[in-house]
């Protein structure tokens, strides 16, 4: 097990594209960190630099006490699970799992024992003699996990390991991976673009945007106190409502008529972005804020009401027992759930 | 072959399990295929029949239909009777020489072109692409074009009348390199990376991953190259003057040139024809054997 430290790690591809801007993170021993962000934001690049599959342009990377910038992937004592599993098609499940050990010169008996142990943990006992092509997607995923755990690595790296599975299996494997990781206590870096996966699996989340770290924090920190409008919009479904507002005479005003009963942010600005999560807003109120509901979306457990508030689009989520219909609805925007952001920079105020 | 399998699957899928109906289309398909097969086989059968005649008859009447009693004799002579000007070479010896040439040629080509393609695809060589295109342009230079310099080089190295001299100049293969390069490029990048993390160095990766994955490709190229090597005529003619080094294809010609010593002074046509038939057997066996392997490989493995 090991602590992983990234110190101003940067990546510029040979074609001049800066895929990862200087990134400093410390991952304590045994923690599962999720890298999340939209497509092309540099998640895989960062992960592959940790794996040693991609050169580090600048900065230093340590796994445990040693700087490993120039170490071969095989010498970093890591294991990686790929999106398409990358199993060796011509080898049986047992050979797939044991290949790394064999290359390290482990004895036949030791390989057999470790493979059997991994197969037991992952319920793969019946499949050891099959080829990957004779397995289902979920089973292949498990073999990929098995290949990672037989080597007792110091660090697990996952690059969107569940994105080829169907929704149900994904939920199941998510829990299994998390349980396994906690049981083994292996430090892990997990890449995903699925914010639900990020929220449910992570000890800490790193939100990336265009190669830049937007925020690092626990799932609840990220959700409760997003550091920027990007994070606010990316984490949470449906995303946080963001509205342009003006601060006039100590009040927050959406347009000429809609005045919100909110204390303005402590920082003095003329204009501000006001954010509310859809589920923080309640139906009913004194009539100072009225949502013009245009569409009601039934989701079973709850409903989404989409409409406009003071001329700007706004959505709220209400329980399935509450009345919801199209037309004007008074709503309450609780003071303690408001987020203010800088109008240009998008940073939290 | 493809047509055959296709039409048979069609037939099974269309016909009902109880009473297979015969469709006109299938009758026509099969008629064409059978006619084609006869057309292809006829010359072979004709030659086989002719080997049962006396050389004198063959000279007088050309190729013959029917059976006489000389077939066994001719085949025996073809295989075991020493011939040529020096009377040192038998059919078996030529068969062995051809085998060595065919196998050496095919295996050599596969080894060389796999290694070249491996270097081009997996090593970050500065001029890998350039190197590839240079190799590729040699396709435009077949052996016939470079035959004099090749001969000169082999001759002055003292390799004339050796297996090395016979095989080595032929094994550089742009075609093989091209096919293996295309194949290696279709192997997913992640597989390469997984192997790197699993600690497979370049040699281990080549042996443990690349070679098993290339099985079908190797089988296909082996078939083509073995047959091609087996049928080589010009280069063996040039580089082997010692009759003990003759290959079958080269030797058949020699038999016809040497007049029989039985007094009749006519070429031993029966023996030459028998030898031609023998020369056909190994390539046919190779194709049959590797084809089944090749199909099995294609259906079993997925990258
Ligand atoms: N070899 C390369 N050369 C140049 N640019 C590259 C290279 N690989 C990736 N990039 C660029 O770097 C950026 C980050 O790529 P990366 O693969 O890390 O994205 P990602 O966050 O993993 O996206 P996804 O969720 O789609 O997998 C992208 O803009 C991509 O175009
Ligand atoms: Mg990626």
């Amino acid at each position: 097990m090991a602590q992983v430290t990234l110190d101003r790690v940067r990546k510029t591809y040979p074609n001049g594209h800066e895929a990862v801007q200087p990134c400093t993170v410390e991952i304590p021993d045994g923690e599962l960190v999720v890298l999340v962000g939209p497509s092309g934001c540099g998640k895989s690049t960062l992960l592959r630099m940790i794996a040693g599959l991609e050169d580090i342009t600048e900065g230093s990377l340590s796994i445990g006490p040693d700087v490993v910038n120039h170490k071969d992937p095989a010498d970093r004592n890591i294991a990686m699970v790929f999106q398409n599993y990358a199993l060796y098609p011509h080898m049986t499940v047992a050979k797939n799992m044991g290949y790394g050990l064999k290359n390290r010169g482990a004895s036949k008996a030791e390989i057999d024992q470790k493979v059997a142990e991994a197969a037991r943990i992952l319920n793969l006992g019946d499949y050891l003699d099959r080829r990957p092509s004779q397995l289902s997607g979920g089973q292949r995923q498990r073999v990929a996990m098995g290949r990672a755990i037989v080597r007792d690595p110091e660090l697990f790296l996952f690059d969107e390991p569940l994105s080829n599975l169907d929704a149900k299996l994904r939920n199941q494997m998510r829990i299994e991976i998390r349980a396994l990781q906690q049981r083994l206590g292996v430090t892990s870096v997990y890449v995903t673009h699925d914010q639900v996966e990020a929220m449910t699996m992570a000890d800490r989340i790193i939100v990336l945007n265009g190669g830049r770290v937007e925020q690092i924090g626990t799932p609840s920190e990220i959700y409760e106190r997003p550091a920027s409008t990007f994070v606010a919009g990316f984490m949470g479904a449906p995303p946080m409502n963001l509205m342009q507002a003006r601060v006039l005479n100590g009040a927050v005003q959406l347009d000429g008529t809609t005045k919100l009963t909110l204390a303005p942010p402590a920082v003095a600005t003329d204009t501000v972005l006001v954010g509310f999560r859809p589920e923080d807003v309640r139906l009913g109120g004194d009539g100072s804020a009225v949502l013009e509901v245009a569409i009601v979306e039934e989701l079973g457990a709850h409903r989404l009401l989409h409409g406009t508030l003071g001329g700007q689009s706004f959505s709220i989520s209400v329980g399935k027992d509450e009345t919801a219909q199209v037309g004007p609805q008074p709503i309450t925007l609780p003071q303690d759930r408001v987020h203010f952001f800088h109008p240009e920079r998008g940073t939290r105020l | 072959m493809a047509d055959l399998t296709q039409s048979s699957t069609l037939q099974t899928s269309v016909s009902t399990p109880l009473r297979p109906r015969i469709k006109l289309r299938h009758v026509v398909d099969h008629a064409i295929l059978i006619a084609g097969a006869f057309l292809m086989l006829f010359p072979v059968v004709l030659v086989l029949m002719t080997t049962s005649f006396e050389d004198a008859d063959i000279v007088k009447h050309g190729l013959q239909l029917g059976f006489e009693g000389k077939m066994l004799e001719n085949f025996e002579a073809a295989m075991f009777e020493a011939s040529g000007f020096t009377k040192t070479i038998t059919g078996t010896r030529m068969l062995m020489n051809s085998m060595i040439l065919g196998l050496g040629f095919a295996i050599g080509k596969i080894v060389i072109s796999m290694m070249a393609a491996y270097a081009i695809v997996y090593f970050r060589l500065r001029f890998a692409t350039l190197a590839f295109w240079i190799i590729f342009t040699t396709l435009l230079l077949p052996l016939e074009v470079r035959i004099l310099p090749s001969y000169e080089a082999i001759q002055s190295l003292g390799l004339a009348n050796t297996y090395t001299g016979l095989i080595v100049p032929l094994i550089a293969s742009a075609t093989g390199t091209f096919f293996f390069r295309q194949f290696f490029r279709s192997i997913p990048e992640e597989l390469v990376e997984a192997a790197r993390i699993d600690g497979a160095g370049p040699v281990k990766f080549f042996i443990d991953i690349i070679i098993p994955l290339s099985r079908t490709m190797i089988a296909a190229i082996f078939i083509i190259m073995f047959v091609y090597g087996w049928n080589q005529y010009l280069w063996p003619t040039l580089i082997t003057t010692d009759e003990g080094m003759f290959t079958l294809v080269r030797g058949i010609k020699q038999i016809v040139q040497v007049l029989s010593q039985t007094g009749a002074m006519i070429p031993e046509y029966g023996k030459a024809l028998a030898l031609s038939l023998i020369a056909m057997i190994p390539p046919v066996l190779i194709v049959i054997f590797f084809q089944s392997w090749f199909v099995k490989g294609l259906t079993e493995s997925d990258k």
Side-chain angles (χ1 to χ4, degrees):
Chain A
M1 314 307 112
Q3 163 178 321
V4 178
T5 312
L6 283 80
D7 186 14
R8 279 160 291 160
V9 167
R10 198 167 72 79
K11 175 71 188 181
T12 307
Y13 277 110
N15 65 1
H17 179 77
E18 187 175 33
V20 176
Q21 295 176 22
C23 166
T24 301
V25 190
E26 209 161 277
I27 307 172
D29 189 9
E31 200 174 86
L32 189 148
V33 166
V34 170
L35 285 174
V36 68
S39 188
C41 68
K43 307 180 292 289
S44 298
T45 305
L46 193 55
L47 192 78
R48 292 163 51 80
M49 283 195 286
I50 299 175
L53 297 171
E54 209 69 73
D55 292 334
I56 296 172
T57 309
E58 231 174 73
S60 84
L61 165 73
S62 337
I63 299 177
D66 317 317
V67 173
V68 295
N69 281 36
H70 299 294
K71 267 198 192 173
D72 232 38
D75 302 331
R76 294 189 183 192
N77 204 8
I78 53 159
M80 186 154 168
V81 178
F82 295 86
Q83 179 173 356
N84 60 8
Y85 321 131
L87 300 176
Y88 310 118
H90 58 289
M91 294 187 194
T92 62
V93 167
K95 290 252 168 58
N96 260 287
M97 295 205 276
Y99 187 60
L101 286 173
K102 185 172 152 236
N103 286 337
R104 285 157 180 242
S107 72
K108 179 99 177 49
E110 186 191 348
I111 295 174
D112 287 347
Q113 182 248 319
K114 289 217 165 132
V115 168
E117 169 71 8
R120 192 184 57 73
I121 294 173
L122 293 161
N123 279 326
L124 283 170
D126 297 339
Y127 306 108
L128 285 177
D129 293 324
R130 292 208 196 167
R131 301 267 187 92
S133 57
Q134 299 162 327
L135 298 176
S136 73
Q139 287 163 345
R140 286 182 209 187
Q141 176 58 50
R142 250 176 259 226
V143 177
M145 287 292 300
R147 188 167 64 177
I149 65 177
V150 287
R151 297 216 328 256
D152 296 328
E154 293 191 319
L155 176 64
F156 280 148
L157 302 173
F158 299 91
D159 195 351
E160 309 204 18
L162 304 183
S163 56
N164 283 353
L165 303 179
D166 66 52
K168 197 165 170 212
L169 199 54
R170 193 151 59 212
N171 291 344
Q172 183 193 331
M173 287 302 295
R174 189 169 78 201
I175 296 165
E176 274 183 37
I177 291 183
R178 179 59 167 150
L180 189 63
Q181 187 269 337
Q182 279 178 336
R183 182 143 64 105
L184 302 174
V186 179
T187 317
S188 305
V189 182
Y190 188 105
V191 164
T192 180
H193 60 249
D194 178 348
Q195 44 110 4
V196 179
E197 242 169 64
M199 293 294 290
T200 51
M201 297 184 75
D203 288 312
R204 274 194 307 158
I205 295 176
I206 300 174
V207 185
L208 283 176
N209 179 26
R212 205 179 61 250
V213 175
E214 287 272 342
Q215 187 173 5
I216 303 177
T218 63
S220 63
E221 278 168 9
I222 300 266
Y223 196 74
E224 304 292 341
R225 293 184 56 78
S228 64
T229 50
F230 174 81
V231 179
F234 191 76
M235 301 299 286
M240 184 185 281
N241 296 295
L242 288 169
M243 296 170 294
Q244 302 269 357
R246 286 199 301 154
V247 181
L248 266 182
N249 312 324
V252 179
Q253 208 160 346
L254 283 186
D255 61 3
T257 54
T258 314
K259 205 181 267 179
L260 301 181
T261 48
L262 291 173
V267 190
T269 49
D270 292 342
T271 56
V272 72
L273 284 170
V274 183
F276 275 102
R277 294 227 174 255
E279 66 275 18
D280 288 341
V281 182
R282 289 192 304 275
L283 273 180
D286 55 8
S288 65
V290 176
L291 177 68
E292 278 293 331
V293 179
I295 300 169
V296 179
E297 242 186 314
E298 286 289 347
L299 293 179
H302 56 272
R303 292 194 185 95
L304 294 179
L305 313 187
H306 303 287
T308 55
L309 178 68
Q312 304 187 40
S313 66
F314 199 90
S315 302
I316 70 171
S317 167
V318 300
K320 63 177 186 296
D321 298 330
E322 292 190 70
T323 54
Q325 67 243 15
V326 173
Q329 301 267 351
I331 53 173
T332 306
L333 304 167
Q335 169 75 50
D336 58 342
R337 295 297 172 90
V338 70
H339 307 264
F340 287 115
F341 299 98
H342 191 279
E344 282 111 39
R345 293 198 293 275
T347 51
R348 188 179 188 86
L349 295 177
Chain B
M1 192 61 223
D3 290 343
L4 246 179
T5 21
Q6 203 181 7
S7 64
S8 68
T9 46
L10 258 178
Q11 192 161 17
T12 44
S13 65
V14 171
S15 57
T16 58
L18 285 179
R19 210 167 53 91
R21 265 169 297 164
I22 297 169
K23 288 208 168 171
L24 181 65
R25 249 194 65 205
H26 299 140
V27 175
V28 173
D29 283 354
H30 281 88
I32 292 172
L33 287 170
I34 291 165
F38 271 119
L39 207 64
M40 303 290 273
L41 274 176
F42 181 70
V44 179
V45 173
L46 187 62
V47 168
L48 184 67
M49 288 177 165
T50 308
T51 56
S52 68
F53 285 80
E54 291 270 3
D55 290 341
D57 284 339
I58 302 173
V59 173
K60 267 186 258 164
H61 307 293
L63 295 173
Q64 309 265 328
L65 281 173
F67 278 102
E68 290 279 326
K70 297 282 278 182
M71 187 184 286
L72 208 65
E73 205 175 300
N74 272 327
F75 271 94
E76 210 177 325
M79 281 308 281
F80 305 113
E81 190 181 282
S83 65
F85 294 110
T86 53
K87 294 286 169 210
T88 51
I89 184 144
T90 60
T92 19
R93 179 70 200 239
M94 288 192 273
L95 196 65
M96 191 190 81
N97 287 343
S98 275
M99 211 59 157
I100 290 172
L101 173 62
L103 288 177
F105 181 84
I107 293 170
K109 267 194 189 260
I110 287 170
V111 169
I112 292 275
S113 56
M114 265 187 104
M115 294 200 301
Y118 185 59
I120 287 169
V121 175
Y122 288 108
F123 291 82
R124 283 189 201 155
L125 303 173
R126 239 164 175 294
F127 301 110
T129 325
L130 182 71
F132 172 72
W133 286 110
I134 290 174
I135 293 175
F136 197 64
T137 50
T138 61
L139 264 183
L140 304 173
L141 286 178
L143 177 73
E144 287 73 14
V145 176
R146 59 181 168 86
I147 200 148
L148 283 179
S150 294
Y151 180 77
E152 189 60 39
I154 294 301
Q155 178 74 23
S156 53
L157 284 171
L159 290 174
N161 286 316
T162 62
Y163 291 122
T164 319
L166 192 60
I167 295 167
V168 171
L170 300 177
I171 65 177
S173 173
T175 332
T177 309
F178 177 74
F179 281 126
F180 278 116
R181 170 183 180 260
Q182 296 311 95
F183 177 73
F184 293 167
R185 281 160 65 112
S186 75
I187 293 176
E189 190 70 17
E190 277 94 348
L191 210 58
V192 182
E193 292 174 346
R196 267 182 82 187
I197 291 175
D198 269 344
V203 176
K204 268 192 189 146
F205 179 66
F206 187 67
I207 293 171
D208 290 347
I209 314 283
I210 291 284
I211 293 181
L213 284 181
S214 312
R215 281 192 319 249
T216 56
M217 198 67 196
I218 293 173
I221 292 188
F222 185 82
I223 294 176
I224 298 167
M225 292 307 175
F226 179 83
V227 175
Y228 188 54
W230 184 269
N231 289 332
Q232 281 295 320
Y233 178 69
L234 186 59
W235 181 252
T237 309
L238 218 63
I239 207 70
T240 58
T241 46
D242 175 354
E243 288 191 335
M245 291 293 298
F246 277 10
T247 61
L248 270 176
V249 181
R250 168 95 168 85
I252 293 166
K253 178 86 184 346
Q254 199 73 4
I255 290 174
V256 183
Q257 280 170 351
V258 179
L259 298 185
S260 117
Q261 305 298 302
T262 51
M265 289 313 231
I266 49 169
E268 297 173 291
Y269 280 122
K271 190 175 162 190
L273 292 177
L275 210 51
S276 321
L277 288 174
I278 292 167
M280 282 175 60
I281 296 170
V284 169
L285 287 183
I286 291 271
V287 169
I288 291 172
F289 174 70
F290 271 93
Q291 192 200 358
S292 64
W293 205 59
F294 178 64
V295 171
K296 203 165 73 186
L298 272 186
T299 48
E300 257 182 14
S301 83
D302 62 337
K303 273 196 307 289

